[in-house]
Amino acid sequence: MSTFGRLVSERASRVDWPAARLEGTSVRNSVTKLGQLQAYFRSRAAFASMDPETVVYRVQWLEPIAAGVEGGLFWGSTTVEPGRVGDEYFMTKGHFHAIRNRAEYYTTVQGEGMLILMDEQGRTRAEVMTPGSLHYIPGATGHRAVNTGMTPLCFWACWPSDAGHDYDTIAAEGFGARVLLRNGAPALVTVADLGDSVER
Ligand code: PAN
Ligand code: ZN
């Protein structure tokens, strides 16, 4: 083999860009089903009437260095299926990063959605996710992706290898707003307007 042949290699991992799919032997995969999301959706009655085996979202990602080690970057994609629990659209659990000041990028490749963002005081806002939308998620900001469309919502993400995921805060307290079907369209509705109390 020539020197060139030894030094230049095909990368072991590839992206299928428009499908937001990762290919390669070191790709990690997770599937989140409805049954794992009981704490997250507002309507317990609607939730109870649905099949807990329903797939809500899939994540693929690469960890080129160990999780928790400072200095690296992780790269992955998420596909949130279309659907609702009652009037609430399918969504990710959402989390803060365990190391609070760690930021992240999301960019949408397919579908329609909303990215819910919340600071540590509970101030909540949303950005529209549409093909090509680029979302900078600052540190100390909880983030959740919601599929408001009729087709899968697919987006890429890049985050620091030591960020970690704090799911407990969101599982316990939720976000300050939910994305609900209102008058035939998705709307960001605050928990105050819903009459739900959030303790912080
Ligand atoms: C993303 C998320 C992914 C799934 O890769 O982990 O969209 O959402 P949950 O982790 O909230 O279930 C990310 O934000 N990484 O940090
Ligand atoms: Zn994150």
Side-chain angles (χ1 to χ4, degrees):
M1 189 188 288
S2 67
T3 305
F4 184 82
R6 283 198 301 275
L7 296 179
V8 180
S9 61
E10 288 276 324
R11 296 303 304 163
S13 307
R14 295 184 58 80
V15 297
D16 177 340
W17 203 251
R21 298 280 305 165
L22 274 170
E23 298 159 359
T25 49
S26 48
V27 175
R28 294 159 191 257
N29 291 276
S30 78
V31 178
T32 302
K33 297 181 177 179
L34 193 59
Q36 299 165 254
L37 299 172
Q38 187 161 14
Y40 297 91
F41 287 99
R42 183 165 187 261
S43 172
R44 296 292 149 93
F47 186 91
S49 72
M50 295 177 68
D51 181 357
E53 287 299 305
T54 305
V55 171
V56 178
Y57 60 97
R58 292 183 168 82
V59 184
Q60 292 191 299
W61 75 102
L62 291 171
E63 294 188 3
I65 66 169
V69 174
E70 185 183 350
L73 291 170
F74 291 167
W75 172 260
S77 70
T78 302
T79 298
V80 185
E81 297 297 328
R84 287 197 316 269
V85 176
D87 59 4
E88 188 165 19
Y89 293 89
F90 278 9
M91 60 192 183
T92 60
K93 290 177 180 173
H95 57 267
F96 286 94
H97 290 152
I99 299 184
R100 280 293 191 270
N101 70 2
R102 297 305 193 253
E104 183 162 7
Y105 272 114
Y106 281 8
T107 184
T108 313
V109 291
Q110 274 190 50
E112 301 292 330
M114 281 203 211
L115 176 60
I116 304 180
L117 300 166
M118 179 176 74
D119 69 17
E120 290 190 283
Q121 285 67 50
R123 288 183 291 250
T124 304
R125 62 194 175 87
E127 295 178 359
V128 173
M129 301 180 78
T130 192
S133 64
L134 180 63
H135 308 274
Y136 177 72
I137 301 165
T141 303
H143 42 290
R144 162 182 284 167
V146 184
N147 185 346
T148 58
M150 310 282 279
T151 59
L153 172 70
C154 307
F155 59 93
W156 290 108
C158 186
W159 67 101
S161 49
D162 64 350
H165 295 95
D166 165 15
Y167 291 103
D168 293 348
T169 302
I170 298 297
E173 301 177 5
F175 283 79
R178 294 178 178 276
V179 180
L180 304 175
L181 177 66
R182 288 286 183 268
N183 302 316
L188 187 72
V189 185
T190 66
V191 292
D193 284 348
L194 289 166
D196 298 345
S197 65
V198 182
E199 284 184 25
R200 278 209 170 76

